[in-house]
Protein backbone atom coordinates (compact mmCIF):
# COMPACT_ATOMS: atom_id res chain seq x y z
CA UNK A 1 0.00 0.00 0.00
CA UNK A 2 2.81 2.38 -0.90
CA UNK A 3 4.49 3.67 -4.01
CA UNK A 4 7.70 4.55 -2.16
CA UNK A 5 11.07 3.41 -3.55
CA UNK A 6 14.59 3.73 -2.14
CA UNK A 7 17.58 4.76 -4.20
CA UNK A 8 20.41 2.39 -3.25
CA UNK A 9 24.02 1.84 -4.18
CA UNK A 10 26.38 -1.10 -4.01
CA UNK A 11 29.83 -2.08 -5.14
CA UNK A 12 30.68 -4.43 -8.01
CA UNK A 13 34.43 -4.88 -8.34
CA UNK A 14 35.83 -1.37 -8.09
CA UNK A 15 32.72 0.36 -9.39
CA UNK A 16 29.77 1.80 -7.46
CA UNK A 17 26.41 0.90 -9.00
CA UNK A 18 23.06 2.58 -8.29
CA UNK A 19 19.45 1.49 -8.63
CA UNK A 20 16.07 1.39 -6.91
CA UNK A 21 14.44 -1.07 -4.50
CA UNK A 22 10.74 -1.16 -3.55
CA UNK A 23 10.53 0.26 -0.01
CA UNK A 24 8.64 -2.63 1.71
CA UNK A 25 11.50 -4.96 0.73
CA UNK A 26 14.14 -2.85 2.50
CA UNK A 27 15.15 -2.70 6.16
CA UNK A 28 16.48 0.76 6.94
CA UNK A 29 19.16 1.02 9.64
CA UNK A 30 18.60 3.78 12.20
CA UNK A 31 20.42 5.22 15.22
CA UNK A 32 18.41 4.47 18.37
CA UNK A 33 19.85 7.28 20.47
CA UNK A 34 17.00 7.28 22.99
CA UNK A 35 17.38 3.56 23.61
CA UNK A 36 21.16 3.99 23.93
CA UNK A 37 20.66 6.68 26.57
CA UNK A 38 18.27 4.43 28.49
CA UNK A 39 20.90 1.68 28.56
CA UNK A 40 23.45 4.12 30.01
CA UNK A 41 21.02 5.46 32.62
CA UNK A 42 20.25 1.93 33.81
CA UNK A 43 23.97 1.14 33.93
CA UNK A 44 24.65 4.19 36.12
CA UNK A 45 21.94 3.07 38.56
CA UNK A 46 23.36 -0.48 38.60
CA UNK A 47 26.93 0.55 39.53
CA UNK A 48 26.12 3.44 41.87
CA UNK A 49 27.87 3.18 45.22
CA UNK A 50 29.67 -0.03 44.33
CA UNK A 51 33.20 -1.22 43.82
CA UNK A 52 33.70 -1.91 40.12
CA UNK A 53 35.59 -4.83 38.67
CA UNK A 54 35.52 -7.07 35.61
CA UNK A 55 36.01 -10.72 34.66
CA UNK A 56 39.63 -11.39 33.78
CA UNK A 57 40.31 -14.59 31.86
CA UNK A 58 41.86 -13.44 28.58
CA UNK A 59 43.20 -16.43 26.66
CA UNK A 60 42.12 -18.56 29.68
CA UNK A 61 45.04 -17.18 31.69
CA UNK A 62 43.18 -17.99 34.94
CA UNK A 63 42.12 -21.43 33.77
CA UNK A 64 39.04 -22.73 32.00
CA UNK A 65 35.88 -22.86 34.11
CA UNK A 66 34.07 -26.20 34.55
CA UNK A 67 31.89 -27.60 31.81
CA UNK A 68 28.25 -26.54 31.96
CA UNK A 69 26.27 -29.79 32.18
CA UNK A 70 28.99 -31.42 30.09
CA UNK A 71 28.88 -28.67 27.47
CA UNK A 72 31.12 -25.75 26.48
CA UNK A 73 28.20 -23.35 25.91
CA UNK A 74 25.63 -22.54 28.59
CA UNK A 75 21.85 -22.24 28.16
CA UNK A 76 22.18 -18.52 27.35
CA UNK A 77 24.70 -19.05 24.56
CA UNK A 78 27.81 -17.84 26.42
CA UNK A 79 30.99 -19.85 25.88
CA UNK A 80 33.21 -21.60 28.38
CA UNK A 81 36.40 -20.32 26.73
CA UNK A 82 37.72 -17.09 28.27
CA UNK A 83 34.91 -16.94 30.81
CA UNK A 84 34.36 -17.32 34.55
CA UNK A 85 31.71 -19.43 36.29
CA UNK A 86 29.00 -17.38 38.00
CA UNK A 87 27.40 -19.51 40.72
CA UNK A 88 23.88 -18.92 42.02
CA UNK A 89 25.05 -19.69 45.58
CA UNK A 90 28.44 -19.68 47.37
CA UNK A 91 28.97 -23.31 46.37
CA UNK A 92 31.35 -24.22 43.53
CA UNK A 93 29.53 -27.55 43.14
CA UNK A 94 26.22 -25.83 42.45
CA UNK A 95 24.48 -24.31 39.44
CA UNK A 96 26.29 -21.65 37.43
CA UNK A 97 26.43 -19.80 34.13
CA UNK A 98 29.34 -18.45 32.14
CA UNK A 99 30.34 -14.79 32.55
CA UNK A 100 32.68 -13.78 29.71
CA UNK A 101 36.04 -12.08 29.92
CA UNK A 102 35.78 -8.31 30.31
CA UNK A 103 32.21 -8.22 31.61
CA UNK A 104 31.59 -5.41 34.09
CA UNK A 105 30.83 -6.30 37.73
CA UNK A 106 29.79 -4.43 40.86
CA UNK A 107 31.33 -6.22 43.83
CA UNK A 108 28.98 -6.61 46.79
CA UNK A 109 31.12 -8.69 49.16
CA UNK A 110 33.99 -11.14 49.36
CA UNK A 111 33.81 -14.48 51.15
CA UNK A 112 36.71 -16.95 51.29
CA UNK A 113 37.82 -17.43 47.66
CA UNK A 114 34.56 -16.14 46.16
CA UNK A 115 33.27 -12.70 45.22
CA UNK A 116 29.57 -11.85 45.22
CA UNK A 117 28.94 -9.47 42.34
CA UNK A 118 26.00 -7.75 40.71
CA UNK A 119 26.28 -8.35 36.96
CA UNK A 120 24.50 -5.49 35.13
CA UNK A 121 24.47 -7.47 31.87
CA UNK A 122 22.42 -10.26 33.48
CA UNK A 123 20.58 -8.14 36.08
CA UNK A 124 21.48 -10.62 38.79
CA UNK A 125 23.89 -11.53 41.60
CA UNK A 126 26.48 -14.28 41.12
CA UNK A 127 29.29 -15.82 43.14
CA UNK A 128 32.53 -15.79 41.13
CA UNK A 129 35.86 -17.39 42.11
CA UNK A 130 38.15 -14.55 43.14
CA UNK A 131 40.93 -15.52 40.73
CA UNK A 132 38.70 -14.49 37.81
CA UNK A 133 37.91 -11.01 39.19
CA UNK A 134 40.12 -8.01 38.49
CA UNK A 135 39.42 -4.79 40.36
CA UNK A 136 39.70 -1.25 39.05
CA UNK A 137 41.01 0.51 42.20
CA UNK A 138 41.23 3.97 40.61
CA UNK A 139 37.83 3.85 38.93
CA UNK A 140 35.31 5.71 41.06
CA UNK A 141 32.70 6.35 38.40
CA UNK A 142 31.90 5.73 34.76
CA UNK A 143 32.53 8.77 32.56
CA UNK A 144 32.77 7.35 29.03
CA UNK A 145 30.55 4.76 27.34
CA UNK A 146 30.39 3.29 23.84
CA UNK A 147 27.08 1.69 22.92
CA UNK A 148 27.09 -0.82 20.04
CA UNK A 149 23.73 -1.65 18.45
CA UNK A 150 23.99 -5.12 16.87
CA UNK A 151 20.52 -5.02 15.34
CA UNK A 152 21.14 -1.72 13.52
CA UNK A 153 24.89 -2.15 12.88
CA UNK A 154 25.93 1.18 14.34
CA UNK A 155 27.48 2.63 17.48
CA UNK A 156 27.78 5.85 19.47
CA UNK A 157 30.19 7.28 22.03
CA UNK A 158 28.98 9.23 25.06
CA UNK A 159 30.44 11.37 27.87
CA UNK A 160 28.63 11.22 31.21
CA UNK A 161 28.71 14.69 32.74
CA UNK A 162 27.16 16.29 35.86
CA UNK A 163 24.31 17.73 33.81
CA UNK A 164 23.56 14.56 31.86
CA UNK A 165 24.65 12.27 29.04
CA UNK A 166 26.36 13.95 26.09
CA UNK A 167 26.60 12.34 22.66
CA UNK A 168 30.18 12.74 21.41
CA UNK A 169 30.13 10.89 18.09
CA UNK A 170 28.32 8.19 16.18
CA UNK A 171 29.19 5.96 13.26
CA UNK A 172 28.28 2.81 11.37
CA UNK A 173 29.56 -0.54 12.63
CA UNK A 174 30.17 -4.12 11.55
CA UNK A 175 29.61 -6.68 14.30
CA UNK A 176 30.57 -10.36 14.49
CA UNK A 177 29.05 -13.11 12.39
CA UNK A 178 28.75 -16.69 13.62
CA UNK A 179 30.81 -19.00 11.41
CA UNK A 180 33.59 -21.62 11.32
CA UNK A 181 36.26 -18.97 12.04
CA UNK A 182 34.15 -16.23 13.62
CA UNK A 183 31.79 -15.47 16.50
CA UNK A 184 28.92 -13.09 17.10
CA UNK A 185 29.81 -9.97 19.05
CA UNK A 186 28.77 -10.94 22.60
CA UNK A 187 25.91 -9.06 24.23
CA UNK A 188 26.56 -7.38 27.54
CA UNK A 189 28.32 -4.53 29.33
CA UNK A 190 32.11 -4.69 29.22
CA UNK A 191 35.17 -2.77 30.36
CA UNK A 192 37.45 -1.03 27.89
CA UNK A 193 40.34 -3.22 29.02
CA UNK A 194 43.23 -2.41 26.71
CA UNK A 195 44.10 0.14 24.01
CA UNK A 196 46.40 -0.72 21.11
CA UNK A 197 47.45 1.39 18.13
CA UNK A 198 46.90 -1.72 16.03
CA UNK A 199 46.57 -5.47 16.42
CA UNK A 200 47.49 -8.08 13.83
CA UNK A 201 45.22 -10.96 12.85
CA UNK A 202 45.59 -14.34 11.17
CA UNK A 203 44.03 -15.42 7.92
CA UNK A 204 41.04 -17.74 8.48
CA UNK A 205 42.16 -21.26 9.41
CA UNK A 206 45.85 -20.33 9.44
CA UNK A 207 48.55 -18.97 11.73
CA UNK A 208 49.76 -16.60 9.00
CA UNK A 209 49.39 -12.90 9.79
CA UNK A 210 47.09 -11.45 7.14
CA UNK A 211 46.71 -7.86 8.27
CA UNK A 212 46.02 -5.49 11.12
CA UNK A 213 43.24 -3.39 12.62
CA UNK A 214 44.07 0.15 13.86
CA UNK A 215 42.87 2.14 16.89
CA UNK A 216 41.84 -0.95 18.82
CA UNK A 217 40.10 -1.13 22.20
CA UNK A 218 39.77 -4.67 23.59
CA UNK A 219 36.59 -5.37 25.56
CA UNK A 220 36.16 -9.18 25.76
CA UNK A 221 38.49 -12.03 24.87
CA UNK A 222 39.79 -11.26 21.39
CA UNK A 223 36.93 -8.82 20.74
CA UNK A 224 37.87 -5.23 19.91
CA UNK A 225 36.30 -2.01 18.77
CA UNK A 226 38.65 -0.89 15.99
CA UNK A 227 39.09 0.91 12.70
CA UNK A 228 38.84 -0.56 9.21
CA UNK A 229 40.98 -3.74 8.88
CA UNK A 230 43.95 -3.54 6.51
CA UNK A 231 45.28 -6.61 4.68
CA UNK A 232 49.02 -6.61 4.08
CA UNK A 233 50.28 -6.85 0.50
CA UNK A 234 53.12 -9.19 -0.38
CA UNK A 235 55.55 -7.61 -2.85
CA UNK A 236 58.73 -9.46 -3.86
CA UNK A 237 58.23 -11.77 -0.90
CA UNK A 238 58.04 -8.89 1.57
CA UNK A 239 54.98 -7.96 3.62
CA UNK A 240 53.97 -4.35 2.84
CA UNK A 241 51.50 -2.10 4.66
CA UNK A 242 49.33 -0.44 1.97
CA UNK A 243 48.20 2.23 4.44
CA UNK A 244 45.13 2.70 6.62
CA UNK A 245 41.64 3.18 5.27
CA UNK A 246 38.91 5.30 6.82
CA UNK A 247 35.96 3.77 5.01
CA UNK A 248 34.59 0.41 3.88
CA UNK A 249 31.44 0.22 1.77
CA UNK A 250 29.92 -2.69 3.76
CA UNK A 251 30.05 -1.00 7.18
CA UNK A 252 26.57 -0.58 8.63
CA UNK A 253 24.96 -3.25 6.44
CA UNK A 254 25.24 -6.70 8.03
CA UNK A 255 27.44 -8.62 10.51
CA UNK A 256 30.72 -9.62 8.84
CA UNK A 257 33.49 -9.45 11.46
CA UNK A 258 35.13 -12.25 13.44
CA UNK A 259 33.81 -11.05 16.84
CA UNK A 260 34.68 -7.34 16.96
Amino acid sequence: KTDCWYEVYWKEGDEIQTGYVFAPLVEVRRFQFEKMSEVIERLMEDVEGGRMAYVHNYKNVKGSPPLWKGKTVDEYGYRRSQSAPGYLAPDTKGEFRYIPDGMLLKVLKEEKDLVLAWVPSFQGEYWIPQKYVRFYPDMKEITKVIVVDRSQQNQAAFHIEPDGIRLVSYTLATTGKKGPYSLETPLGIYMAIQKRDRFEYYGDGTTIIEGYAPYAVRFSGGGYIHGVPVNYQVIDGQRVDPGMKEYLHTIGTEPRSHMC
Side-chain angles (χ1 to χ4, degrees):
K1 298 180 180 180
T2 178
D3 59 358
C4 179
W5 291 71
Y6 289 120
E7 183 177 6
V8 298
Y9 67 93
W10 67 95
K11 195 171 185 181
E12 290 184 9
D14 293 327
E15 294 187 5
I16 299 295
Q17 307 289 341
T18 60
Y20 296 87
V21 177
F22 191 44
L25 304 179
V26 173
E27 179 184 347
V28 180
R29 307 290 189 186
R30 306 186 188 281
F31 285 91
Q32 302 186 86
F33 295 122
E34 186 174 330
K35 188 175 179 181
M36 291 177 171
S37 295
E38 290 172 359
V39 169
I40 296 173
E41 289 169 358
R42 186 171 66 244
L43 169 63
M44 301 307 293
E45 292 175 2
D46 281 345
V47 300
E48 185 177 8
R51 185 183 180 195
M52 279 179 278
Y54 66 93
V55 171
H56 171 57
N57 199 20
Y58 182 42
K59 296 183 178 180
N60 295 308
V61 67
K62 298 299 181 179
S64 296
L67 290 169
W68 182 84
K69 298 183 178 180
K71 301 176 182 178
T72 58
V73 178
D74 68 18
E75 62 183 314
Y76 303 102
Y78 288 93
R79 300 180 307 132
R80 178 192 189 198
S81 178
Q82 302 187 86
S83 291
Y87 295 95
L88 302 182
D91 175 12
T92 56
K93 302 292 185 182
E95 291 186 46
F96 69 92
R97 65 179 299 174
Y98 293 132
I99 306 177
D101 175 68
M103 189 163 272
L104 179 70
L105 311 171
K106 181 173 80 170
V107 174
L108 303 176
K109 68 177 179 179
E110 300 175 55
E111 187 175 297
K112 296 182 180 178
D113 295 327
L114 296 172
V115 171
L116 177 62
W118 173 259
V119 184
S121 301
F122 301 155
Q123 290 293 292
E125 296 180 1
Y126 296 89
W127 293 88
I128 306 168
Q130 197 157 16
K131 67 177 183 178
Y132 293 109
V133 178
R134 175 167 286 187
F135 292 92
Y136 246 104
D138 299 329
M139 190 169 178
K140 306 300 182 186
E141 59 184 355
I142 295 174
T143 58
K144 300 180 180 73
V145 178
I146 298 171
V147 182
V148 179
D149 187 341
R150 291 197 322 183
S151 71
Q152 301 298 302
Q153 294 293 286
N154 56 48
Q155 61 187 16
F158 299 85
H159 274 182
I160 299 170
E161 300 176 346
D163 58 348
I165 300 169
R166 181 165 66 90
L167 175 66
V168 178
S169 66
Y170 58 96
T171 187
L172 304 177
T174 299
T175 61
K177 178 181 181 180
K178 191 174 182 179
Y181 301 108
S182 62
L183 298 164
E184 288 183 301
T185 302
L187 290 173
I189 299 168
Y190 299 86
M191 279 286 193
I193 301 169
Q194 177 188 18
K195 291 196 296 183
R196 299 172 67 178
D197 290 338
R198 61 172 64 182
F199 76 89
E200 293 181 315
Y201 53 83
Y202 294 140
D204 286 348
T206 76
T207 55
I208 299 171
I209 293 175
E210 185 175 71
Y212 68 89
Y215 309 121
V217 178
R218 187 171 71 82
F219 63 92
S220 179
Y224 291 80
I225 296 174
H226 59 72
V228 177
V230 177
N231 285 341
Y232 289 123
Q233 296 175 355
V234 178
I235 301 175
D236 296 329
Q238 298 294 316
R239 194 172 64 190
V240 178
D241 181 355
M244 288 191 291
K245 300 180 290 185
E246 293 190 0
Y247 177 72
L248 190 64
H249 70 280
T250 56
I251 291 178
T253 58
E254 61 180 3
R256 297 180 71 240
S257 87
H258 288 71
M259 178 182 173
C260 300

